Amino acid sequence: MSDHQEPTPDQADAGLLTLEEWANRCGYSYSRASTLAREEEDFPDPVRYRMVPKRRADTPLPPGTDPDQAVTLDRFADLIGSSAKTVRRVVTTHSRPLPPLADPAERTAWPTQGHRALGALLEWWNARPATTTKVALYDPEKLAPFEPRRPRPVPPLEKLGVAPDEEVTASRFASLIGVDYKTVGQYRQLSPEKMPRTADGRRVQDLEYGEIAQFRLEDLYRWWQSRPGSRLGDRTGQGAGKRRRRGDRPAPEGMTLTRFARLIEVDPAKMHRYRRRHAGSMPATVDGRRAQDLAKGERAYFPAEGLHQWWQNLPEDDEGAH
């Protein structure tokens, strides 16, 4: 006999992740992770599969019913919102037999016939064996290229060699923290309303086009450390031009309203309500159509700059808009 032992399923699965576990680890929603797995052409295939029990909560006693009430299996199925076929299938797979008949004198032709106490049937039902489902397991190293890019850490404020209250331009600030000015400019362009006021107290969105403004260094530093959209560089967003989606579809230009909402940290459902209220003032889509002419539920793409301008111009009294 060989001394070689095959690894147990738990040993073989060690280090592998389900899609849900990976999503939780890297900060995606499960829906986002599922979309990546479905649409990205080079998303890795599962390494193996694991059969796991389906999550199931106990069925409560139906409101207004007496646990001692005697019912048939068909009536029991109705009360718990199941089908008689499902209940009868559980009879054949359950390790526990059905509860005894409520009336021992009742005569039945089949074991599944007759009346039983509702409470006893419910206890039997909640103890039924769990069904299983097949869950895909992935190698986390192969998933790494699809994780969101985290912001590069910047030096502490006191290590920048400039007094916190000194006035600097956004370009000077970029050089102090060691990032490209275009990166700072991108965040400024995407969320001007989140930036600090200038040294002379003006909002960024009120500056003249091309105007070079001064900011207090400490204000810019705080904004940068807590800037919105810290995952702007996630690999499926900014890197869309480098990789094709499944089916060799070209990456669309522009930005969906849902994507825009997430970038500026607004609930996408709220953003779509604003779209319905203010469709007439929205920018045209990248293919030139008006927002009010789009089909219900259509996934449209808008120019990012136009969306930001529309957002800034929404009425101040629109609850939650700013």
Side-chain angles (χ1 to χ4, degrees), residues 122-137:
L122 196 62
E123 182 183 350
W124 167 83
W125 176 256
N126 286 332
R128 70 195 185 280
T131 56
T132 58
T133 185
K134 185 167 71 171
V135 175
L137 298 173

Side-chain angles (χ1 to χ4, degrees), residues 48-65:
R48 61 194 303 120
Y49 293 88
R50 177 197 297 158
M51 300 304 295
V52 298
K54 285 186 177 179
R55 299 173 185 170
R56 186 187 67 214
D58 283 353
T59 302
L61 187 70
T65 56

Side-chain angles (χ1 to χ4, degrees), residues 41-254:
E41 186 180 56
D42 49 355
F43 197 87
D45 292 324
V47 175
R48 61 194 303 120
Y49 293 88
R50 177 197 297 158
M51 300 304 295
V52 298
K54 285 186 177 179
R55 299 173 185 170
R56 186 187 67 214
D58 283 353
T59 302
L61 187 70
T65 56
D66 179 358
D68 295 327
Q69 175 186 352
V71 296
T72 64
L73 281 186
D74 288 359
R75 176 59 180 157
F76 172 69
D78 288 339
L79 287 171
I80 64 172
S82 184
S83 68
K85 182 178 179 181
T86 297
V87 172
R88 292 177 188 280
R89 185 169 64 244
V90 170
V91 172
T92 63
T93 59
H94 206 322
S95 58
R96 291 172 57 175
L98 280 166
L101 295 173
D103 181 1
E106 185 178 14
R107 295 288 179 263
T108 61
W110 297 96
T112 54
Q113 294 178 336
H115 295 73
R116 294 169 173 84
L118 174 60
L121 279 173
L122 196 62
E123 182 183 350
W124 167 83
W125 176 256
N126 286 332
R128 70 195 185 280
T131 56
T132 58
T133 185
K134 185 167 71 171
V135 175
L137 298 173
Y138 295 84
D139 183 342
E141 291 188 6
K142 294 180 180 179
L143 292 172
F146 295 86
E147 294 179 1
R149 295 175 182 164
R150 308 295 177 178
R152 188 170 70 178
V154 298
L157 180 60
E158 60 272 13
K159 298 274 181 129
L160 297 182
V162 177
D165 60 351
E166 183 169 330
E167 296 178 10
V168 296
T169 64
S171 178
R172 176 78 195 291
F173 173 70
S175 66
L176 287 172
I177 64 174
V179 302
D180 191 290
Y181 169 66
K182 291 180 180 178
T183 303
V184 176
Q186 180 189 48
Y187 282 101
R188 170 178 172 170
Q189 181 183 26
L190 284 170
S191 300
E193 74 284 354
K194 300 287 186 180
M195 283 195 70
R197 289 180 178 265
T198 63
D200 57 4
R202 291 178 296 160
R203 299 187 307 171
V204 172
Q205 51 267 49
D206 294 335
L207 298 176
E208 297 291 335
Y209 179 76
E211 181 179 355
I212 299 175
Q214 300 274 342
F215 302 84
R216 285 182 69 252
L217 174 63
E218 187 173 12
D219 292 342
L220 280 178
Y221 189 87
R222 278 208 201 106
W223 162 74
W224 185 254
Q225 293 292 68
S226 61
R227 64 197 184 279
S230 61
R231 296 196 179 107
L232 282 179
D234 83 52
R235 300 170 193 268
T236 57
Q238 301 302 316
K242 299 180 182 178
R243 178 169 59 240
R244 294 298 183 112
R245 297 179 183 274
R246 295 192 190 275
D248 202 31
R249 292 176 294 169
E253 297 178 356

